[in-house]
Amino acid sequence: MPVRESALSAHTKGVERLLACYRSIPPTATIRLAKPTSNLFRARTKRDTPGLDTSGLTGVLNVDPDARTAEVAGMCTYENLVAATLRYGLSPLVVPQLKTITLGGAVTGLGIESASFRNGLPHESVLEMDILTGAGELVTASPGQHPDLYRAFPNSYGTLGYSTRLQIQLEPVKPFVALRHIRFHSLSEMIAAMERIVETKGLEGVPVDYLDGVVFGPDESYLCVGVRTTTPGPVSDYTGKDIYYRSIQHETGFKDDRLTIHDYFWRWDADWFWCSRAFGAQHPRLRRWWPRRYRRSSVYWKLVELDQRFGIADWIEKRNGRPARERVVQDVEVPAERAREFLTWFFEAVPISPIWVCPVRLLDHRGWPLYPIRPDRTYVNIGFWSSVPAGAGTGVTNRAIEAKVNALDGHKSLYSDSYYTREEFDELYGGEPYTTVKKTYDPDSRLLDLYAKAVQRR
């Protein structure tokens, strides 16, 4: 279908406002985006300079069902993107599990979901993108145009520029997802079964479309296997009194479930995986009165922002005579053959449960310089999002996790707290290739560099 004129006009005006806003900021001031939502958990210092105006850069410009592509503004949320593509029986190749994650954010950061074992990471589906660079220029990057920027942009977290438009690949989907939750009583068995599914792309002769899992402890873990289907039938609803991650649990064998494709994509959002319990939203009496429209990750994130601003949780701990707590909100990638070792260590060292597991394999055989996990190797994304009693020092538990991940030849996402030295960081996240691209597209350092943004407290 042709690009909608209203969407294109709004986008063009949005780009013009963005460029004008950029040019109005003094050369000595730090550039940042003015965003209504965020999925970052790093500490950030408030600044006096206004952020870049991104209004008008939030829409879907076009969906081409024949080519299976979409033209999307950089600040478009996956909630809006999926709503547009599902009308044509299509979806992005990877749909990060929270509604307010933006396409541009998932590409310049990282997004992983249950299709990642066959479709890799969100940036691997990008055909081309327009980027406002640190030099104030609008550049179109693709494998054939500015390929150095195209390949360095993923995991640069806005330190090389901001995407204003992206063209991405789509894939066909079906109306429903049939789920099978398989119970394991040992981590070794769970990891082995995961590796078999990744290798064969199937289970018992049936092709598998989606694969992730939940680990409640060393003797209780689950793989959640999803198969797209057109077969009608009853479907579950986890935006009401029922809670998705609790529905997974059972004693032995497997448990079947069914969701619409729309509800499958957002199965984790209603309770922010399981983090809504911190706000009481999973208590049966409170949940009954919690409006359904407010059971979503964006609302919980606003509550977290209030806590960070006013130190509510620390005040409660202090008032009750308990030590302060260290936030441990991380996603790491560990080679599949080392995943059991990491999980065993984690449950002995870190009092957090449950945790999320999701296999991933890169599509691109060349790899990506700022997040150099190896092509042709299966990794397991392991996500844990909670807090622990603070130790004697800053970030004691987070530092221990970083050390363990590095020892196992793994990698860590940078959306939350990091404690690497400059030397460690350069070795893990681009080093000289990043510096070269940074000098080319941000010669006056208008944007923070990646180490300053991800590690140093700014």
Side-chain angles (χ1 to χ4, degrees):
M1 63 176 288
V3 175
R4 293 177 296 173
E5 291 299 324
S6 60
L8 180 59
S9 175
H11 178 74
T12 300
K13 292 176 181 176
V15 172
E16 291 172 353
R17 281 196 299 274
L18 179 72
L19 290 170
C21 187
Y22 181 95
R23 290 163 185 156
S24 71
I25 296 175
T28 57
T30 300
I31 304 293
R32 64 179 181 84
L33 292 180
K35 296 179 62 177
T37 63
S38 175
N39 287 282
L40 297 180
F41 280 83
R42 297 189 228 102
R44 288 168 290 173
T45 301
K46 287 189 175 294
R47 298 186 177 276
D48 296 330
T49 54
L52 295 177
D53 183 354
T54 58
S55 60
L57 301 178
T58 60
V60 178
L61 307 179
N62 182 48
V63 177
D64 186 334
D66 296 324
R68 294 180 182 172
T69 61
E71 301 271 350
V72 187
M75 295 294 292
C76 179
T77 65
Y78 271 93
E79 181 176 23
N80 292 334
L81 173 56
V82 167
T85 62
L86 283 184
R87 297 176 192 145
Y88 303 95
L90 299 169
S91 82
L93 268 59
V94 177
V95 179
Q97 52 272 18
L98 303 180
K99 292 178 177 179
T100 56
I101 293 175
T102 63
L103 177 60
V107 170
T108 194
L110 289 174
I112 290 173
E113 232 294 303
S114 57
S116 289
F117 79 101
R118 57 184 179 83
N119 286 340
L121 301 172
H123 58 263
E124 297 191 278
S125 66
V126 174
L127 300 172
E128 67 174 27
M129 50 188 159
D130 294 342
I131 298 171
L132 172 61
T133 69
E137 300 172 340
L138 197 62
V139 170
T140 299
S142 70
Q145 303 178 76
H146 301 281
D148 54 344
L149 180 60
Y150 174 82
R151 301 204 67 79
F153 194 73
N155 209 49
S156 63
Y157 283 91
T159 65
L160 296 176
Y162 303 107
S163 58
T164 63
R165 179 194 63 90
L166 305 98
Q167 182 186 51
I168 63 169
Q169 296 173 296
L170 305 173
E171 68 174 5
V173 293
K174 296 177 181 178
F176 306 101
V177 175
L179 280 166
R180 174 157 291 185
H181 305 308
I182 307 171
R183 166 76 187 258
F184 297 90
H185 296 272
S186 79
L187 295 172
S188 296
E189 291 177 353
M190 186 270 290
I191 296 297
M194 178 188 291
E195 290 187 281
R196 286 195 298 272
I197 294 172
V198 172
E199 186 65 29
T200 64
K201 301 295 188 293
L203 176 66
E204 298 175 352
V206 177
V208 169
D209 298 302
Y210 304 111
L211 178 64
D212 64 354
V214 180
V215 183
F216 290 88
D219 59 355
E220 184 187 4
S221 58
Y222 302 87
L223 289 182
C224 305
V225 180
V227 177
R228 296 186 292 231
T229 178
T230 58
T231 304
V235 293
S236 298
D237 177 5
Y238 296 108
T239 64
K241 66 181 180 64
D242 296 327
I243 299 168
Y244 176 68
Y245 83 99
R246 288 299 181 194
S247 76
I248 292 170
Q249 292 184 278
H250 56 276
E251 289 300 320
T252 189
F254 62 85
K255 179 181 180 181
D256 289 332
D257 197 0
R258 175 187 292 265
L259 293 169
T260 66
I261 184 68
H262 173 275
D263 287 354
Y264 178 79
F265 284 141
W266 307 128
R267 67 202 180 283
W268 292 117
D269 190 83
D271 283 286
W272 212 8
F273 284 81
W274 33 79
C275 297
S276 67
R277 63 187 177 184
F279 312 108
Q282 294 182 28
H283 190 285
R285 290 183 180 176
L286 183 57
R287 193 176 185 86
R288 184 183 309 166
W289 297 104
W290 194 297
R292 186 182 292 238
R293 67 183 180 277
Y294 294 143
R295 292 183 200 142
R296 53 183 287 143
S297 59
S298 57
V299 171
Y300 305 133
W301 173 245
K302 289 177 182 177
L303 296 176
V304 169
E305 283 187 313
L306 288 173
D307 173 60
Q308 292 177 344
R309 185 182 305 173
F310 298 107
I312 299 170
D314 289 342
W315 179 83
I316 292 173
E317 295 298 312
K318 184 176 181 180
R319 185 176 178 84
N320 287 282
R322 295 189 293 262
R325 297 186 68 83
E326 175 187 351
R327 183 177 62 191
V328 182
V329 178
Q330 304 286 355
D331 277 75
V332 303
E333 271 79 61
V334 176
E337 66 271 18
R338 311 298 296 273
R340 182 198 60 78
E341 183 179 349
F342 178 84
L343 290 168
T344 300
W345 171 85
F346 186 89
F347 281 115
E348 292 174 351
V350 184
I352 291 177
S353 175
I355 59 179
W356 186 60
V357 293
C358 184
V360 58
R361 283 179 72 99
L362 294 181
L363 287 180
D364 193 292
H365 295 284
R366 291 172 293 176
W368 302 88
L370 270 63
Y371 205 74
I373 61 176
R374 285 169 42 191
D376 305 314
R377 187 180 194 181
T378 301
Y379 289 78
V380 180
N381 175 271
I382 303 171
F384 34 93
W385 316 293
S386 189
S387 63
V388 301
T394 303
V396 172
T397 299
N398 283 284
R399 292 173 190 271
I401 290 168
E402 288 179 353
K404 189 65 176 179
V405 170
N406 292 349
L408 297 179
D409 197 23
H411 242 62
K412 188 182 90 163
S413 295
L414 296 175
Y415 69 85
S416 189
D417 299 314
S418 296
Y419 296 89
Y420 299 108
T421 65
R422 169 65 82 169
E423 292 73 21
E424 291 170 334
F425 190 86
D426 286 348
E427 184 177 348
L428 292 168
Y429 298 99
E432 186 57 36
Y434 170 74
T435 301
T436 300
V437 176
K438 178 75 169 171
K439 289 178 180 178
T440 301
Y441 295 96
D442 185 19
D444 298 321
S445 298
R446 296 294 307 277
L447 307 172
L448 290 175
D449 84 342
L450 188 56
Y451 183 75
K453 191 164 189 177
V455 180
Q456 293 174 335
R457 301 298 177 258
R458 305 291 293 195

